[in-house]
Amino acid sequence: RTSVERCNGRLKENLTTNDLHVCGISKGTTHVYLNAIVLLATALAVKKTQASKEVA
């Protein structure tokens, strides 16, 4: 539960999920999905960077 709340907090604070400026539920949903993809890509990039530092 805490990890989900942490992700929601990051989406709201860092990825502007709180301040949607689009009209329509489908556009809002698309915006949130794109933000979630960015959040996952960032997490993967950080993990990959940390793994390469441990090997070197």
Side-chain angles (χ1 to χ4, degrees), residues 44-56:
L44 289 173
V46 168
K47 185 169 177 72
K48 186 175 181 180
T49 303
Q50 289 175 349
S52 66
K53 287 182 180 179
E54 290 176 2
V55 172

Side-chain angles (χ1 to χ4, degrees), residues 22-33:
V22 294
C23 294
I25 192 76
S26 63
K27 289 181 182 179
T29 304
T30 303
H31 187 77
V32 172
Y33 282 152

